[in-house]
Amino acid sequence: MNDVLEPLAARYLTWLALPASSTVDTSDEDAELVRAMPVVLRIERAEPPPRTALLEAAATAAVAVCLDERAAPDGEWHDAVRAWIDGRIRKVARRARGAHWQAAQGFPGLTVQSGAAEARALVPGLVAETPREIARLQISGSDLPHDEPGPPPGAVPVLWLNPHVEMTVGKAAAQVGHATMLLAALLHGVDDTAALDAWASVDYRCAVRVPTRPQWTDLHPADDPEAAWADRRVVAVRDAGFTEVDPGTITVLAQLP
């Protein structure tokens, strides 16, 4: 793996020793310097995709941009991706259809298809400098019904969405994108090349599921996230609380197969 995820790996290895209620202080941020990764979700009016498949596509696209050879040292995306990861890994999910979806393909990034769903993660940059064609895309007012995808396959990581928290499809897309990045960064940080290679062999595919509440309790890191990783191969996404959920909420638990 290239070095682009090293800052995130270092932070998460530290966070593993923190209680699950720990939060990130964002009070010192300069709004003009905030960086984010746009994640464009294809939601056609006539034939919207299944919610689960769309979230799986978004989760894979986000980590695939970071692990693409163009994000490696000397790659054309490296500086932009590294500058973003050096800060806070914000993602902004946006909806596109028709010509707007086609226009989004012209900006640097990767499109991933999962079943009937497609999502494109763009190379991150300053929010203040988001291209007009992307900034005009909205996510508010657009959601997808929950579906029943069945049991997850056994060969890919599973991203478990918090069953106690209702999230829009845009919010959930950002959270599962965080989850795949954290998982890749942690595997890099502990030098688990076998797990990374196995994941790469399936193109960083993943499954998104909503567990039962008892399942969530069993998986949850509680006050010992280090043990959750060691015993259950689980890492947690804690939200900063900018939208929809309270600061410190664990939105996703990512689990290795």
Side-chain angles (χ1 to χ4, degrees), residues 108-164:
L110 290 172
T111 295
V112 169
Q113 183 170 356
S114 177
E118 290 181 281
R120 183 171 182 82
L122 302 184
V123 174
L126 293 169
V127 172
E129 297 178 359
T130 302
R132 180 177 59 84
E133 295 89 342
I134 302 302
R136 69 186 291 182
L137 302 176
Q138 301 297 317
I139 193 61
S140 60
S142 175
D143 208 353
L144 296 171
H146 292 275
D147 56 341
E148 298 291 339
V156 299
V158 183
L159 313 180
W160 301 100
L161 297 172
N162 190 335
H164 302 277

Side-chain angles (χ1 to χ4, degrees), residues 9 18-19 89 91 150 158 176 181 195 197 199 206 218 238 243:
L18 297 177
I89 56 169
K91 296 177 182 68
V158 183
V176 295
M181 283 184 59
D197 289 345
W199 197 13
C206 57
D218 289 342
R238 297 189 193 97
T243 59

Side-chain angles (χ1 to χ4, degrees), residues 17 42 44 122 137 180 194-195 200 203 216 227 234 236:
R42 186 176 189 180
E44 298 290 346
L122 302 184
L137 302 176
T180 50
D203 298 323
W216 178 262
V234 168

Side-chain angles (χ1 to χ4, degrees), residues 193-230:
T193 54
L196 281 167
D197 289 345
W199 197 13
S201 72
V202 293
D203 298 323
Y204 303 109
R205 297 289 174 173
C206 57
V208 174
R209 296 294 187 271
V210 180
T212 64
R213 293 191 175 196
Q215 283 178 314
W216 178 262
T217 299
D218 289 342
L219 289 167
H220 202 286
D223 290 329
D224 195 352
E226 187 174 6
W229 171 250

Side-chain angles (χ1 to χ4, degrees), residues 9 12-13 16 181-192 229 235:
Y12 203 83
L13 287 170
L16 281 175
M181 283 184 59
L182 287 174
L183 189 58
L186 184 55
L187 289 173
H188 174 62
V190 299
D191 199 26
D192 192 338
W229 171 250
V235 296

Side-chain angles (χ1 to χ4, degrees), residues 72-134:
D74 300 325
E76 59 191 286
W77 296 352
H78 180 269
D79 291 349
V81 175
R82 182 62 182 257
W84 172 58
I85 290 175
D86 278 342
R88 298 177 176 89
I89 56 169
R90 281 194 181 87
K91 296 177 182 68
V92 178
R94 299 180 182 277
R95 177 194 70 225
R97 57 173 66 103
H100 290 161
W101 169 254
Q102 295 304 322
Q105 307 308 300
F107 295 92
L110 290 172
T111 295
V112 169
Q113 183 170 356
S114 177
E118 290 181 281
R120 183 171 182 82
L122 302 184
V123 174
L126 293 169
V127 172
E129 297 178 359
T130 302
R132 180 177 59 84
E133 295 89 342
I134 302 302

Side-chain angles (χ1 to χ4, degrees), residues 19-41:
S21 60
S22 297
T23 59
V24 176
D25 181 13
T26 59
S27 61
D28 60 343
E29 283 190 317
D30 183 338
E32 293 299 313
L33 299 179
V34 171
R35 296 177 180 271
M37 169 186 278
V39 180
V40 183
L41 310 176

